[in-house]
Amino acid sequence: INSHSVLISNDEKSACLHPKGDGYFETHAIRCDRSLRSNAYTYWEIKLSNFNGTSVMIGIGDENSKLHSIGYLDLIGINQSSWGLSIKGHTQHNQIVNQSYCCNNYSNEDESDLVVGCIFDGFKGRLGFYLNGEFKGFAYENIPTNLVL
């Protein structure tokens, strides 16, 4: 990430968006530096603490997926080569929003953490999600495994 609006910790395990209070009318994405493998299961999770915002998502996308936008925009799932879950409870792929995937809108009103886990099945091209340890099922199937994700 090359942005003054995203601060990555030295151990690369934490990120802070808008650490200086600027850029509130922007959306940023963070991309992992490792690609998913097509012949493996891959699991990762994100712990969201003190989160708020109009677009907080987790998912996968190829190297052409946008990492920045002026305005509030769900960046993951905006094109045909990214798939994501919003904390609003919907999934999005190729600008198609599915409101009925798994869950309600998550807010941070009680200041509790939210742990979102992702499981990518590289054998079958599936992506599923966990919320606070509970598997919500596979949201996407037939993801092309020949893409560099």
Side-chain angles (χ1 to χ4, degrees):
I1 295 290
N2 184 13
S3 173
H4 66 280
S5 294
V6 180
L7 178 64
I8 305 292
S9 65
N10 289 337
D11 65 2
E12 297 183 347
K13 293 184 178 184
S14 299
C16 180
L17 301 178
H18 311 296
K20 297 178 182 176
D22 58 352
Y24 284 115
F25 194 61
E26 298 176 312
T27 302
H28 294 273
I30 299 171
R31 179 180 294 130
C32 181
D33 61 358
R34 295 187 184 124
S35 299
L36 296 172
R37 295 179 47 203
S38 62
N39 59 349
Y41 294 101
T42 305
Y43 178 83
W44 67 100
E45 61 186 30
I46 303 291
K47 181 171 106 175
L48 300 167
S49 301
N50 300 323
F51 63 90
N52 59 32
T54 57
S55 178
V56 178
M57 299 187 76
I58 187 170
I60 60 175
D62 73 0
E63 61 197 8
N64 297 314
S65 297
K66 290 180 69 168
L67 296 178
H68 178 259
S69 170
I70 300 297
Y72 304 129
L73 180 67
D74 288 341
L75 291 175
I76 302 174
I78 198 168
N79 61 18
Q80 64 184 2
S81 56
S82 62
W83 297 259
L85 172 67
S86 168
I87 62 163
K88 296 176 188 172
H90 67 261
T91 58
Q92 178 173 282
H93 168 65
N94 204 20
Q95 294 185 350
I96 297 172
V97 174
N98 179 354
Q99 297 286 354
S100 64
Y101 167 61
C102 72
C103 37
N104 296 323
N105 185 3
Y106 283 89
S107 68
N108 192 236
E109 292 174 1
D110 63 356
E111 298 184 4
S112 62
D113 294 337
L114 175 65
V115 178
V116 182
C118 297
I119 181 77
F120 178 71
D121 175 353
F123 297 100
K124 295 183 179 178
R126 301 185 300 174
L127 179 65
F129 298 98
Y130 291 78
L131 296 177
N132 291 330
E134 181 182 343
F135 184 58
K136 297 299 183 175
F138 285 99
Y140 301 103
E141 298 190 11
N142 302 315
I143 296 171
T145 57
N146 61 335
L147 292 176
V148 178
L149 300 170

